[in-house]
């Protein structure tokens, strides 16, 4: 196993092009579990901790840029939380403080888990993922980026630079159901954003977190629509029927929160 | 591979296997076994350390990622042979039973009080929600945090 | 409050709050747990485990692993020099599997290498030819299937011999007229999933060869001498050639009563002539130790119209998994406590534990009584409702008291203040409902932010339970202590009582300081090499037993010094609690004075909030009154109550080992959830200090009763909030919602 530690984005992209099999590691909250539990033995690891270009966030008009290395703890800080409240609420549900200090938005995108907590809030905010390689940059809508459980369209020589989201005026919230009151993987989760329309996205209720949109005059039927859009399964964390049921309740409550 | 880092203010170096966690390197190579190996998946907080001043699970940091960085472990909290006030409070409040979670909780509590010297009960609970304890039911741990904050 | 024989003395004596003797090293990180140990030239051991719940082993080929980089030994059953099987009570568990594997994760081969990664990679290269067999996974059908242990190691041991295959133990208690009718009857079926001890310190230890054919094992365990007695025969060594030393224990809760790495580490150390360290991963820990028995309990309670119990009929089925471990005692305890702490003249209780290919089960805090309490307390609430009697009043009306006769025929001769704990718990003032809005952290669902108050209902639950203290059924239960008085007035105490976090090290010192009238007392390392057995740190017995042994040894040492006129004194004494006797194998009735030496009880009141639409919960408040005997260290006693309550909360709400065809599907702290800081409410503890007449200083054990009652009390609160029956734990959101 090799550990590659680039000091700049340019070097990172070059290394990724040379060693496409290298697995990127940022906060380590997913990759290290695979290593520690002996589930993965990558030939090489690409340590992105020293790549300054991936850090931080910035605002331009109604859009906010989130660097791939932005941590959940940073997403909970007041200024950013005011711009992206659902993402901040989602970040507060991630692990404990240690995980929130270390886990990143870029990592959540890269893992592309159906349960990724940052993904529903990003989906309702029209997230566009920026990818880069030595060949150049491209932007992919988050809903197109996610293609299956832990699968995305990232090419083997590409890295995630970050994500751009709509931070225009809206009401939004995030909720996550788990069997205990802290530190859970979502049994099911929901983000809702209300501006000119209704935009809901759910996690852990289908192969990928999924966006459901509707006109404002469809409020009454929206909980049912969201539940029907889901394709949940039974697993160790919950049953399909419970997930569908919970999605209906969560959507109804989220609408109450965002409309009243 | 060889890594160099600072642990508790001292320059250290070690040969590590590339896939090793910072936790393993601290415990098995660098002589700091205080951070504990309870779950190795970031679910229990027993391995909590400060990495460049931020509270993290050392099991989820690749040892190689700590190269050139500052780590503070539970062994680095006492100064000049005097226990850190959080350590004193944990003993006095009866917050220690088997003690396996204690190093992580002591580090997490020291980090909490560093940023918030007078936390509410909710703030204490949330700040320590990443640290599992199987023995105490947490009541005396909360007592210890309040005692150390007072 | 009762009088005890011992006056309150200075700091560090019995009855005082004494800081833990190991407190400072534990907060500084210096305390050496079993996973922290190192030795020069040390190798790392790793265990190859079965991926099948049930399979025949047709062959094992280790050639691919031998000679791998850093590898020093690859061992199979053929390398076990002595007995091929071991066990706490019945020798039914292979050191390494030889003809077949009977559970998922059963050890098959061992590797020692210079780095754990080398050991893991070599383990991967061992080829085991498995021929999968149909696993027995339904305990209700186990007695109709082929025997997992055709040689029937559990038969003919003085228990009722049951001719059906796969019965570990079957017990029937017939008390009074088992057909007696009441005026009112309620019945129910109750289920409990598999709970895990989930101690934080994984199984680990260091085995060091002594160069003369023997071995020293430094390990986290609950009973040093019984480890030695299991290890030595398998290594074909004399017992003095195997020395077991207590390394720091990261929690136990019953899960360290059975062997884990002791034998495997010793085998590798003797084979390589190098120190060998084995540390389980969390995943491995979940498959590497026994669990709490899952159970199905059928119960019928018959009573008079004014609420007096007439007849209790209970059938208990426990799934013991593949090997016996402590199952026979669990079977018996479940039967002993099936009716709860209530007087009933007639009872028919059948308790059966079967072998299956599910995860092996054994000791966990409150064993047998936890399962029984969940059922009998649900039944008492059901009866109260059927009779329209206040549930607390119904419990008081039937409460056991000294002089009462138990279903086993044993009369309670010691202390058992059931009515007192009920009254004191019921009198604790409940917190006012909290106002809305509040931070989601203080609502069901917690940090998940799922409600601002929608769907939230409040319920109050109550439960009472009891449990035996110490070993029972005629087991020779003793503890040794050795005291050395030095010429300079100092003393050291040797006792092999395992300090597992419960604070027995403090107890030993408090007793010794009290008896010797001196503060200059040191506790020597816990080891098999300097003192006789202490028995196990289990069954809430260690405080009582260690206190008795240390008291007797101290008094004998003082007498010896008096007799010899000063100088060095070194005496060892063995303490035994009053003798117990077995149950009659046919009637389940006590054959002497007592089947259990003593009992302790607790009552608990719980306030919970439930989001009835999402099925999420928040336990708001817990108040409990517990019969603790003399509280040797009151701070440690409340610590046991709070911690024991948390484990019961876990079983009530979230903890379950899940399986599919016998394979564990959630072996991690991501999917096996234990309570966090946001799940545990404040616990108000009332200590009822009534002296146990047969115990030193009036002591009782305190560790188990809180775990026995809290699951039952919490589910009662959920029932009150939801109106649902909730007959299975852990309660799932689906059950609350009604899906």
């Amino acid at each position: 196993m090799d550990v590659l530690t680039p000091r700049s984005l340019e070097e990172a992209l070059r290394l990724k092009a040379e060693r496409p099999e290298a697995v990127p590691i940022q906060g380590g909250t997913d990759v290290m579990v695979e290593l520690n539990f002996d589930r993965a033995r990558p030939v090489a690891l690409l340590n992105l901790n020293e790549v300054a270009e991936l850090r931080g966030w910035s605002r331009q008009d109604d859009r906010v840029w989130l660097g791939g290395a932005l941590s959940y703890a940073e997403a909970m800080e007041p200024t950013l939380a005011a711009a992206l409240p659902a993402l901040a609420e989602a970040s507060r549900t991630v692990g404990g403080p240690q995980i929130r200090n270390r886990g990143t938005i870029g990592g959540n995108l890269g893992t592309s888990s159906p349960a990724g907590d940052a993904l529903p809030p990003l989906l309702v905010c029209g997230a566009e993922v920026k990818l880069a390689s030595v060949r150049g940059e491209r932007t992919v809508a988050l809903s197109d980026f996610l293609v299956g459980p832990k699968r995305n369209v990232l090419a083997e020589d590409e890295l995630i630079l970050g994500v751009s989201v709509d931070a225009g005026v809206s009401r939004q919230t995030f909720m996550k159901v788990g069997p205990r009151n802290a530190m859970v993987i979502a049994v099911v989760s929901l983000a809702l954003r209300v501006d000119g329309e209704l935009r809901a996205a759910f996690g852990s209720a289908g192969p990928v977190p999924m966006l459901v949109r509707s006109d404002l005059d469809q409020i009454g039927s929206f909980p049912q629509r969201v539940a029907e859009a889901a394709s949940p399964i039974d697993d160790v964390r919950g049953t399909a029927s419970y997930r569908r049921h919970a999605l209906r309740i969560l959507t109804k409550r989220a609408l109450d929160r965002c409309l009243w | 591979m060889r890594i160099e880092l600072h642990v508790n203010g001292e320059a250290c170096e070690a040969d590590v296997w590339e896939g090793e966690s910072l936790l393993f390197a601290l415990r098995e190579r660098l002589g700091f076994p205080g951070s504990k190996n309870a779950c190795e998946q970031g679910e229990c907080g027993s391995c909590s350390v400060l990495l460049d001043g931020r509270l993290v699970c050392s099991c989820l940091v690749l040892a190689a990622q700590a190269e050139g960085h500052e780590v503070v472990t539970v062994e680095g909290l006492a100064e000049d042979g005097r226990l850190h006030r959080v350590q004193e409070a944990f003993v006095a409040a009866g917050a220690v039973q088997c003690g396996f979670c204690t190093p992580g909780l002591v580090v997490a509590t020291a980090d909490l009080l560093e940023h918030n010297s007078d936390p509410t009960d909710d703030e204490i609970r949330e700040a320590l929600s990443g640290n599992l304890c199987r023995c105490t039911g947490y009541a005396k741990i909360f007592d210890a945090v309040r005692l150390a904050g007072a | 409050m009762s009088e005890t024989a011992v006056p309150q003395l200075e700091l560090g004596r019995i009855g005082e709050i004494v800081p833990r003797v190991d407190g400072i090293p534990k907060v500084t990180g210096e305390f050496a747990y079993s996973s922290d140990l190192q030795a020069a030239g040390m190798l790392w051991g790793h265990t190859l485990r079965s991926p099948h719940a049930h399979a025949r082993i047709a062959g094992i080929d280790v050639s691919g692993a031998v000679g791998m980089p850093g590898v020093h030994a690859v061992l199979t059953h053929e390398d076990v020099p002595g007995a091929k099987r071991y066990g706490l009570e019945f020798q039914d568990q292979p050191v390494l599997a030889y003809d077949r594997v009977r559970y998922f994760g059963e050890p098959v081969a061992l590797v020692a290498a210079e780095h754990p990664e080398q050991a893991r990679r070599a383990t991967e290269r061992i080829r085991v030819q498995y021929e999968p067999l149909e696993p027995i996974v339904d305990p209700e059908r186990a007695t109709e299937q082929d025997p997992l242990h055709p040689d029937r190691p559990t038969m003919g041991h003085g228990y009722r011999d049951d001719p059906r295959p796969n019965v570990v133990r079957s017990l029937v208690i017939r008390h009074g007229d088992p057909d007696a009718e009441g005026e009112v009857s309620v019945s129910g079926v109750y289920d409990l999933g598999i709970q895990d001890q989930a101690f934080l310190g994984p199984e680990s230890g260091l085995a060091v060869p002594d160069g003369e054919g023997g071995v020293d094992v430094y390990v986290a365990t609950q009973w040093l001498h019984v480890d030695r007695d299991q290890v030595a025969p398998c290594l074909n060594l004399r017992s003095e050639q195997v020395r077991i030393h207590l390394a720091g224990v990261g929690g136990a809760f019953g899960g360290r009563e059975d062997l884990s790495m002791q034998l495997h580490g010793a085998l590798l150390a003797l084979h390589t002539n190098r120190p060998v360290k084995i540390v389980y991963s969390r995943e491995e820990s979940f498959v590497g130790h026994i669990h709490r028995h899952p159970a199905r309990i059928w119960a019928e309670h018959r009573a008079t119209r004014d609420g007096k119990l007439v007849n209790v009929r209970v059938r208990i089925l426990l799934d013991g998994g593949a090997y016996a471990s402590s199952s026979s005692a669990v079977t018996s305890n479940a039967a002993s406590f099936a009716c709860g702490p209530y007087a009933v003249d007639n009872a028919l209780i059948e308790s059966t534990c079967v072998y299956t290919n599910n995860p092996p089960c054994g000791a966990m805090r409150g064993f047998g009584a936890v399962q029984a309490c969940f059922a009998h307390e649900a039944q008492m609430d059901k009866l109260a409702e059927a009779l329209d009697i206040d549930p607390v009043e119904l419990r008081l009306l039937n409460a056991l008291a000294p002089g009462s006769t138990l279903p086993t025929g044993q009369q309670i001769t010691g202390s058992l203040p059931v009515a007192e704990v009920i009254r004191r718990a019921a009198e604790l003032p409940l917190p006012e409902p909290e106002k809305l809005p509040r931070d989601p952290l203080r609502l069901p669902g917690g940090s998940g932010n799922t409600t601002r108050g929608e769907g939230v209902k409040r319920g109050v639950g109550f439960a009472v339970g009891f449990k035996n203290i110490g070993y029972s059924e005629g087991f020779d239960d003793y503890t040794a202590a050795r005291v050395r008085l030095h010429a300079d007035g100092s003393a050291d105490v040797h006792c092999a009582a395992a300090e597992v976090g419960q604070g027995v090290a403090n107890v030993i010192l408090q007793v010794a300081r009290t008896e010797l009238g001196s503060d200059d007392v040191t506790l020597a390392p816990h080891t098999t090499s300097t003192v006789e057995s202490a028995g196990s740190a289990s069954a809430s017995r260690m405080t009582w037993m260690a206190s008795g042994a240390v008291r007797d040894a101290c008094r004998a040492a003082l007498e010896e010094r008096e007799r010899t006129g000063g100088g060095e004194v070194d005496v060892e004494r063995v303490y035994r609690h009053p003798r117990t006797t077995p149950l009659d194998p046919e009637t389940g009735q006590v054959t002497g004075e007592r089947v259990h030496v003593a009992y302790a009880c607790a009552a608990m009141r719980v306030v919970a909030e439930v989001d009835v639409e999402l099925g999420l919960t928040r336990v708001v408040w817990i108040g409990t009154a517990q019969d603790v005997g003399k509280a040797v260290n009151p701070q440690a006693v409340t610590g046991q109550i709070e911690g024991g309550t948390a484990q019961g909360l876990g079983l009530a709400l979230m903890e379950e080992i899940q399986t599919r065809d016998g394979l564990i599907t959630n072996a991690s702290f991501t999917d096996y959830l234990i309570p966090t800081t946001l799940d545990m409410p404040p616990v108000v503890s009332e200590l009822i200090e009534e002296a146990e007449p047969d115990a030193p200083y009036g002591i009782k054990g305190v560790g188990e009763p809180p775990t026995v009652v809290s699951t039952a009390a919490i589910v009662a609160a959920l029932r009150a909030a939801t109106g649902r029956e909730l007959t299975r734990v852990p309660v799932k959101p689906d059950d609350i919602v009604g899906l």
Side-chain angles (χ1 to χ4, degrees):
Chain A
M1 197 182 295
D2 297 323
V3 181
L4 314 170
T5 303
R7 304 278 155 180
S8 69
L9 180 60
E10 189 194 347
E11 188 188 359
L13 295 176
R14 183 173 52 75
L15 287 170
K16 188 65 174 143
E18 287 168 10
R19 301 286 301 273
E21 75 283 7
V23 174
I25 177 169
Q26 181 64 265
T29 55
D30 288 328
V31 175
M32 286 304 294
V33 177
E34 297 289 297
L35 287 176
N36 292 343
F37 275 44
D38 199 10
R39 288 179 190 145
R41 284 292 177 265
V43 182
L45 292 164
L46 185 64
N47 169 25
L48 298 175
N49 279 188
E50 311 301 330
V51 180
E53 293 94 323
L54 297 176
R55 295 181 201 145
W57 66 279
S58 59
R59 180 158 195 154
Q60 198 159 35
D61 302 324
D62 272 354
R63 288 196 81 82
V64 165
W65 167 256
L66 307 174
L70 189 85
S71 69
Y72 298 107
E74 290 169 317
M76 290 165 66
E77 282 170 13
T79 324
L80 187 49
L84 299 173
L87 181 63
E89 287 178 338
S91 297
R92 193 184 182 192
T93 74
V94 175
Q98 293 90 335
I99 303 302
R100 302 198 279 272
N101 280 339
R102 201 64 194 148
T104 63
I105 304 297
N108 214 227
L109 290 165
T111 299
S112 299
S113 163
D117 289 318
L119 304 180
L122 293 176
L123 276 169
V124 296
C125 290
E128 295 181 338
V129 187
K130 194 187 257 189
L131 311 175
S133 70
V134 290
R135 296 175 288 120
E137 293 182 0
R138 61 175 175 141
T139 297
V140 184
L142 176 55
S143 45
D144 295 330
F145 176 80
L146 304 167
V147 295
K150 301 203 171 179
R151 289 193 301 122
N152 55 46
V153 301
L154 199 65
E156 60 176 13
D157 64 344
E158 279 181 319
L159 293 174
I160 297 165
L161 295 187
V163 61
S164 160
V165 291
D166 179 357
V169 175
S170 70
R171 299 286 294 272
Q172 46 180 272
T173 192
F174 176 85
M175 305 155 134
K176 172 163 119 181
V177 171
R180 72 179 168 190
N181 289 340
M183 284 218 299
V184 286
I185 310 274
V187 170
V188 61
S189 65
L190 180 93
L192 178 77
R193 176 184 157 118
V194 180
D195 46 17
E197 61 172 347
L198 306 174
R199 296 163 69 91
F202 54 75
S204 293
V208 292
M210 197 176 131
L211 182 66
V212 186
R213 303 166 68 161
S214 195
D215 291 337
L216 279 175
D217 59 4
Q218 301 295 309
I219 288 165
S221 59
F222 197 55
Q224 188 61 25
R225 270 206 59 206
V226 172
E228 281 168 9
S231 48
I233 55 166
D234 290 341
D235 64 19
V236 291
R237 295 177 191 137
T239 60
S241 58
Y242 174 78
R243 288 178 158 119
R244 217 183 274 281
H245 164 85
L247 266 184
R248 242 188 325 266
I249 306 284
L250 292 178
T251 308
K252 184 171 178 315
R253 290 182 182 178
L255 286 167
D256 287 347
R257 273 185 210 178
C258 293
L259 291 168
W260 303 107
Chain B
M1 65 183 290
R2 191 152 194 85
I3 58 164
E4 294 178 23
L5 69 163
H6 279 78
V7 182
N8 301 331
E10 303 276 322
C12 300
E13 51 182 33
D15 285 314
V16 302
W17 168 59
E18 289 76 3
E20 266 171 37
S21 64
L22 173 61
L23 174 66
F24 189 91
L26 287 168
R27 289 173 50 75
E28 302 292 341
R29 310 219 182 252
L30 295 163
F32 299 99
S35 309
K36 291 290 169 264
N37 57 316
C39 79
E40 299 187 76
Q41 58 181 146
E43 292 282 353
C44 77
S46 305
C47 64
S48 296
V49 301
L50 300 174
L51 177 65
D52 298 332
R54 278 185 313 157
L55 184 72
V56 304
C57 289
S58 60
C59 72
L60 297 185
V61 177
L62 191 67
Q65 289 182 304
E67 161 82 28
H69 292 272
E70 302 273 341
V71 176
V72 176
T73 71
V74 68
E75 290 99 334
L77 292 181
E79 277 180 19
D80 307 325
R82 253 193 75 93
L83 294 184
H84 189 282
R85 66 197 158 105
V86 171
Q87 293 171 318
E88 281 179 351
F90 267 66
V91 177
V96 178
Q97 287 189 31
C98 93
F100 208 78
C101 68
T102 303
L105 272 157
V106 164
V107 173
T109 302
D111 180 63
L112 165 66
L113 296 177
E114 186 71 30
H115 297 104
N116 180 357
S117 58
D118 186 21
T120 64
D121 284 0
D122 284 351
E123 286 168 340
I124 294 171
R125 285 176 183 270
E126 187 168 26
L128 300 184
S129 64
N131 291 79
L132 296 177
C133 171
R134 190 57 160 167
C135 295
T136 67
Y138 303 108
K140 291 181 170 35
I141 291 170
F142 301 148
D143 291 345
V145 179
R146 288 186 283 260
L147 186 62
Chain C
M1 300 280 279
S2 65
E3 291 298 314
T4 63
V6 175
Q8 303 284 303
L9 297 174
E10 303 159 36
L11 184 71
R13 312 289 164 90
I14 288 174
E16 295 169 348
I17 290 176
V18 189
R20 290 187 68 95
V21 16
D22 54 12
I24 290 174
K26 282 180 173 175
V27 297
T28 58
E30 286 161 36
F31 188 80
Y33 292 90
S34 52
S35 55
D36 298 338
L37 307 174
Q38 292 194 342
M42 181 181 91
L43 302 172
W44 290 79
H46 190 63
T47 311
L48 176 68
R49 295 176 179 277
S50 167
H52 300 282
H54 195 196
R56 203 175 80 77
I57 295 179
I60 305 176
D61 176 8
V62 301
S63 59
V66 175
M68 292 268 291
V71 171
H72 289 249
V74 183
L75 306 182
T76 69
H77 64 89
E78 292 181 355
D79 302 295
V80 177
K84 301 284 188 190
R85 301 193 303 192
Y86 70 95
L88 274 176
E89 194 176 351
F90 306 105
Q91 286 70 51
D92 63 353
Q93 180 146 8
V95 179
L96 292 167
Y98 46 88
D99 56 349
R100 59 169 148 171
V101 288
R102 295 178 181 83
Y103 72 96
F104 172 69
E106 179 160 355
V108 177
L110 303 168
V111 172
E114 286 163 23
H115 188 280
E117 178 67 2
Q118 294 169 328
R120 287 189 288 262
R121 296 287 70 83
T123 305
E124 213 170 52
R125 299 281 289 273
I126 300 171
R127 295 279 166 260
V128 184
Q129 219 183 315
Y130 293 108
E131 292 169 0
L133 299 167
E134 173 81 21
I136 300 175
V137 293
D138 179 357
E140 294 201 48
R141 290 191 48 233
T143 56
E144 301 154 16
Q145 292 175 270
D146 289 340
L148 288 174
H149 297 275
D151 53 348
R152 317 229 38 181
T154 59
M155 293 282 275
H157 286 263
Y159 302 145
R160 189 171 79 119
D161 278 342
D162 191 314
R164 296 173 298 172
N166 296 319
V167 172
V168 183
R169 184 176 181 186
S170 172
L171 177 73
V172 178
I173 294 175
R174 287 188 189 81
H175 175 58
D177 172 13
D179 295 319
E181 296 289 345
E183 293 165 314
V184 179
S185 157
V186 293
S187 59
V189 184
Y190 304 94
D191 287 286
L192 300 99
I194 310 176
Q195 189 180 21
D196 191 81
Q197 296 81 359
F199 39 67
L200 288 193
E203 289 86 346
S204 47
L206 179 69
V208 184
D210 67 7
E212 296 168 2
V215 64
D216 289 86
V217 182
Y218 300 81
V219 66
T221 181
Q222 291 177 240
W223 187 354
L224 297 161
H225 288 75
V226 85
D227 284 4
R228 179 195 64 188
D229 295 345
Q230 291 175 94
V231 169
C234 297
L235 298 177
N236 203 20
L237 294 176
R238 298 186 310 278
S239 68
E240 65 273 20
Q241 289 178 286
V242 176
R243 292 158 301 270
I244 312 278
H245 312 277
L246 190 69
V249 183
F253 319 118
R256 298 191 205 270
E257 286 192 20
D258 296 75
L259 294 182
S260 59
M261 59 65 63
Q262 290 90 324
L263 249 170
H264 298 157
L267 272 171
L268 288 168
L270 290 169
H271 204 86
T272 59
N273 205 26
R274 299 259 294 256
V276 174
K277 173 169 169 171
I278 297 181
V279 180
Y280 288 5
S281 69
R282 178 54 52 186
E283 207 168 18
E284 190 174 16
S285 177
F286 273 109
V287 301
H289 62 245
I290 50 76
H291 314 279
R292 184 190 298 291
H293 289 71
R296 171 161 289 179
I297 302 176
W298 295 261
E300 186 198 356
H301 281 54
R302 299 176 183 172
T304 63
R305 218 171 287 289
D306 51 11
K308 196 83 191 110
L309 287 174
V310 174
N311 188 359
V312 175
R313 298 156 64 93
V314 184
R315 187 155 66 88
I316 302 161
L317 180 62
L318 300 157
D319 183 348
Y323 298 104
S325 182
S326 310
S327 285
S328 72
V330 179
T331 311
S332 162
N333 266 19
S336 280
F337 303 107
C339 299
Y342 307 113
V344 56
D345 292 335
N346 309 292
L348 176 62
I349 302 160
E350 186 201 317
S351 179
T352 302
C353 180
V354 292
Y355 283 122
T356 68
N357 297 111
N358 290 320
C361 292
M364 184 177 171
R365 200 173 196 166
F367 68 48
V370 166
Q371 292 91 333
C373 187
F374 175 60
H376 65 65
E377 287 307 274
Q379 284 286 104
M380 290 303 278
D381 281 341
K382 228 180 215 186
L383 187 59
E385 198 183 336
L387 294 166
D388 198 21
I389 296 179
D390 177 80
V392 172
E393 286 305 315
L394 180 72
R395 287 172 168 90
L396 280 171
L397 181 66
N398 290 288
L400 282 175
S404 303
T405 301
L406 295 162
T408 55
Q410 176 177 345
Q411 198 182 35
I412 295 166
T413 52
S415 141
L416 191 63
V418 177
E420 176 77 358
V421 298
I422 293 174
R423 269 194 289 269
R424 293 277 291 274
E427 281 166 7
L428 289 170
L430 299 180
E432 289 295 315
E434 288 169 73
K435 292 193 175 56
L436 294 168
R438 12 173 160 133
D439 192 298
L441 297 183
R442 278 185 286 113
L443 283 162
S447 65
N449 191 31
T450 47
T451 181
R452 303 268 159 98
E454 306 98 312
V456 175
K457 295 194 173 165
R458 181 173 146 122
V460 180
F462 194 86
V464 193
F466 77 141
K467 167 89 179 44
N468 61 308
I469 300 166
Y471 280 175
S472 308
E473 294 187 81
F475 189 88
D476 182 19
D477 194 8
Y478 65 91
T479 295
R482 179 176 160 199
V483 171
R484 297 171 63 194
L485 303 180
H486 303 293
D488 63 1
S490 68
D492 50 61
V493 183
H494 298 253
C495 182
E499 171 57 65
V500 296
Q502 83 282 44
V504 74
N506 271 44
V507 169
I508 292 169
L509 285 171
Q510 284 176 268
V511 170
R513 286 174 180 153
T514 301
E515 290 295 335
L516 299 174
S518 157
D519 286 347
D520 195 2
V521 182
T522 311
L523 179 59
H526 309 257
T527 170
T528 59
S529 60
T530 60
V531 62
E532 257 306 305
S533 175
S536 182
S538 53
S540 297
R541 68 182 279 287
M542 206 69 264
T543 294
W544 171 336
M545 300 298 289
S547 296
V550 173
R551 176 196 64 184
D552 291 356
C554 286
R555 289 180 184 175
L558 290 175
E559 280 170 23
E560 177 73 5
R561 191 168 62 185
E562 183 74 24
R563 199 177 60 76
T564 58
E568 298 272 332
V569 170
D570 184 351
V571 301
E572 182 166 350
R573 288 291 179 274
V574 170
Y575 170 85
R576 286 181 163 79
H577 64 62
R579 200 167 73 90
T580 61
T581 53
L583 292 171
D584 181 276
E586 292 311 313
T587 64
Q589 294 298 295
V590 66
T591 52
E593 192 191 321
R594 3 179 155 181
V595 58
H596 299 295
V597 64
Y599 300 89
C601 59
M604 189 172 282
R605 202 170 185 207
V606 172
V607 178
E609 289 182 338
V610 183
D611 179 340
V612 296
E613 293 172 357
L614 285 176
L616 305 180
T617 61
R618 171 191 175 227
V619 179
V620 176
W621 175 91
I622 293 178
T624 183
Q626 186 171 322
D627 156 36
V628 300
K630 174 65 188 172
V632 179
N633 182 347
Q635 188 185 59
V637 170
T638 52
Q640 284 296 305
I641 292 174
E642 290 150 3
T645 299
Q647 291 183 4
L649 181 145
L651 176 58
L653 300 179
M654 61 187 82
E655 293 186 30
E656 181 174 11
I657 295 277
Q658 299 184 51
T659 61
R660 192 182 54 242
D661 299 328
L663 313 182
I664 296 181
T665 56
N666 62 335
S668 74
F669 274 171
T670 304
D671 287 315
Y672 185 91
L673 303 180
I674 66 174
T676 71
T677 52
L678 286 170
D679 298 290
M680 262 309 282
V683 177
V684 177
S685 303
E686 291 274 310
L687 307 186
I688 313 296
E689 289 194 80
E690 183 177 290
E692 174 59 36
D694 288 323
Y697 315 111
I699 285 168
K700 281 195 178 187
V702 300
E704 294 176 294
T707 308
V708 171
V709 288
S710 74
T711 303
I714 288 164
V715 178
L718 302 188
R719 288 189 194 106
T722 62
R724 294 198 183 272
E725 257 197 288
L726 306 180
T727 56
R728 185 183 194 281
V729 287
V731 175
K732 298 252 164 56
D734 303 54
D735 307 330
I736 293 174
V737 170
L739 290 174

